[in-house]
Amino acid sequence: GSFAVQTHRHIKRWVSPTLRELAHRQKKLGPPKPEPRAGFVEWNERSELFAFGKRLGESFELPLLQRAFVERSFASLEEDKRRKLGIEEADLKMPHNGDLVEKGARIAQAYVEAFLKHQLPKVPQEGLTEIGEYLLSTETLAHVSTHLGTKDLIHSTEYPPSQETLAESLQAVIGALADSSGLERAFLFVRDFICTQLNQKDLLDVWTPKEPLQLLDKICQERKLGEPEPRLLGDCGRNTVLAAYQVGIYGNRQLLGQGFGEDLHTATETAALDALQRLFDTHESRRPFDFGLQLEAKNVRLG
C-alpha cells in the first residue's frame, strides 16, 4: 500500500535571475514618462468629449468644446506640419481656444466679483479683490481643471500640461459653455466649480491685512465706532522664554476683538485681526457660503 510522491519543478532556473536583471535595468532607467491617453489605440476623442459634458451635466456644442481644448501653440505647430506637407493655404488654419479663453476669463471674473459682493457685504474692496484673485489664480483654476478630467483632453505641445495650460483650458470651457448654453449656465458653472473652492476655507489664510491696526482704525472711523484702544487683559511668564500676553481692543467701551502673543506687539496685531474678522463677518463661526445662490444676469457686470 506504499506509494511514492514525485515532485516536479514548474519554474525554470533561468526565470528568477532574468526577472532580477530586468528589475535592475528598469530601476536604472527610472520611471517611464507619462504617455498621453490620446496616443492609445482605443482612444475616441468624440466619445470622450461627449462623456466630459455629460459628467458635468452640461450641454456643449461638440465643435466648440473640441476647440476649447486646442492650445494656441499646438495649433501653430500643426499648421507648420501641414505647410511642410504641401497642404493648400485654405486648409492650413487650425482653430484654437484663444478667443474662448478670453471670454471665459471675463465671465469667471465678473461672476466671482458679484458672488463675493453678495456673500461678503461687510468686507472692503481690497479684501474682495484679494479673495477674488485667489479664486481666479492659476493654481486654483488648474486644481479645478485637473479634477474635472481635462488633462487628457487638452491638445498641447507638452505633456502633462502645465498649470497655465490647465487654467486656460478651464476658462475656454466656460467660454464654450456660454456660447453653447447661454450665460446663465456659464455663471452656474463658475459658482459650482470655482466659488466652491472657498468651502470650509479660513478667509484669513486667503486675505490677511498687512497693517491690521491701521485698517482697524480706518474702519472704526468709517463706522463711527470710536478710536480703537488696545488694553492688556492678562499675561503670564513675563521675562521668560514662555511669555504670553492677552490683549483686547476696545472701541466706544465695547470689546471689538482679543488676541494672544509672545509679546505685546504680536498680541495687539492678533487682537486687531480678530476685531477685523468680527467687523467683516469673516470669522470661523460665520454663516457658511450659500452655494445654492442664483444671481440674476443683470446683477453680474461683464467687463
Side-chain angles (χ1 to χ4, degrees), residues 124 126 212-223 228:
E126 61 182 284
L213 281 169
Q214 292 180 11
L215 180 59
L216 180 61
D217 188 45
K218 178 184 172 185
I219 296 298
C220 286
Q221 287 179 11
E222 289 176 358
R223 302 188 185 182

Side-chain angles (χ1 to χ4, degrees), residues 190-237:
V190 174
R191 181 200 70 186
D192 292 342
F193 294 108
I194 297 179
C195 294
T196 49
Q197 298 306 304
L198 289 176
N199 187 36
Q200 297 185 356
K201 189 86 176 172
D202 186 357
L203 293 179
L204 197 61
D205 293 338
V206 179
W207 173 54
T208 306
K210 293 179 182 176
E211 299 289 343
L213 281 169
Q214 292 180 11
L215 180 59
L216 180 61
D217 188 45
K218 178 184 172 185
I219 296 298
C220 286
Q221 287 179 11
E222 289 176 358
R223 302 188 185 182
K224 299 179 181 178
L225 296 173
E227 187 177 347
E229 180 186 351
R231 296 181 189 173
L232 182 65
L233 300 180
D235 63 60
C236 66

Side-chain angles (χ1 to χ4, degrees), residues 231-249:
R231 296 181 189 173
L232 182 65
L233 300 180
D235 63 60
C236 66
R238 187 179 291 192
N239 299 325
T240 69
V241 292
L242 298 176
Y245 297 86
Q246 182 184 15
V247 170
I249 292 188

Side-chain angles (χ1 to χ4, degrees), residues 62-294:
L62 217 53
L64 274 175
L65 185 59
Q66 190 169 21
R67 183 157 66 89
F69 290 117
V70 179
E71 195 192 13
R72 192 191 302 266
S73 59
F74 179 84
S76 301
L77 189 66
E78 284 297 309
E79 287 173 10
D80 290 341
K81 287 181 181 177
R82 293 177 185 183
R83 193 175 286 109
K84 288 175 183 176
L85 290 172
I87 297 174
E88 293 180 14
E89 197 68 28
D91 299 326
L92 276 178
K93 289 293 179 185
M94 184 176 187
H96 56 77
N97 62 7
D99 57 326
L100 292 175
V101 170
E102 292 175 11
K103 184 170 186 174
R106 286 200 310 272
I107 291 171
Q109 183 169 5
Y111 189 84
V112 164
E113 287 175 359
F115 179 85
L116 291 176
K117 280 181 181 176
H118 187 277
Q119 293 287 294
L120 301 170
K122 297 179 182 178
V123 176
Q125 187 57 47
E126 61 182 284
L128 295 177
T129 303
E130 286 271 349
I131 298 169
E133 285 176 356
Y134 163 77
L135 285 177
L136 298 170
S137 65
T138 300
E139 292 76 18
T140 303
L141 293 179
H143 172 78
V144 175
S145 182
T146 302
H147 287 84
L148 289 182
T150 62
K151 186 179 79 170
D152 289 310
L153 294 170
I154 295 171
H155 292 285
S156 173
T157 53
E158 55 190 357
Y159 189 86
S162 64
Q163 294 238 312
E164 290 77 13
T165 303
L166 287 164
E168 287 182 357
S169 296
L170 181 65
Q171 291 169 334
V173 167
I174 295 170
L177 181 59
D179 286 347
S180 301
S181 303
L183 270 176
E184 289 286 347
R185 296 301 306 175
F187 287 154
L188 293 178
F189 183 94
V190 174
R191 181 200 70 186
D192 292 342
F193 294 108
I194 297 179
C195 294
T196 49
Q197 298 306 304
L198 289 176
N199 187 36
Q200 297 185 356
K201 189 86 176 172
D202 186 357
L203 293 179
L204 197 61
D205 293 338
V206 179
W207 173 54
T208 306
K210 293 179 182 176
E211 299 289 343
L213 281 169
Q214 292 180 11
L215 180 59
L216 180 61
D217 188 45
K218 178 184 172 185
I219 296 298
C220 286
Q221 287 179 11
E222 289 176 358
R223 302 188 185 182
K224 299 179 181 178
L225 296 173
E227 187 177 347
E229 180 186 351
R231 296 181 189 173
L232 182 65
L233 300 180
D235 63 60
C236 66
R238 187 179 291 192
N239 299 325
T240 69
V241 292
L242 298 176
Y245 297 86
Q246 182 184 15
V247 170
I249 292 188
Y250 290 80
N252 284 347
R253 299 184 180 181
Q254 297 284 328
L255 180 65
L256 300 178
Q258 54 184 322
F260 295 85
E262 63 271 11
D263 53 51
L264 284 171
H265 177 72
T266 305
T268 304
E269 283 207 337
T270 308
L273 285 172
D274 183 58
L276 288 172
Q277 282 188 300
R278 295 187 188 190
L279 291 172
F280 297 155
D281 194 21
T282 59
H283 219 271
E284 288 181 351
S285 57
R286 70 178 293 277
R287 188 177 65 182
F289 286 103
D290 180 13
F291 295 118
L293 174 72
Q294 290 195 11

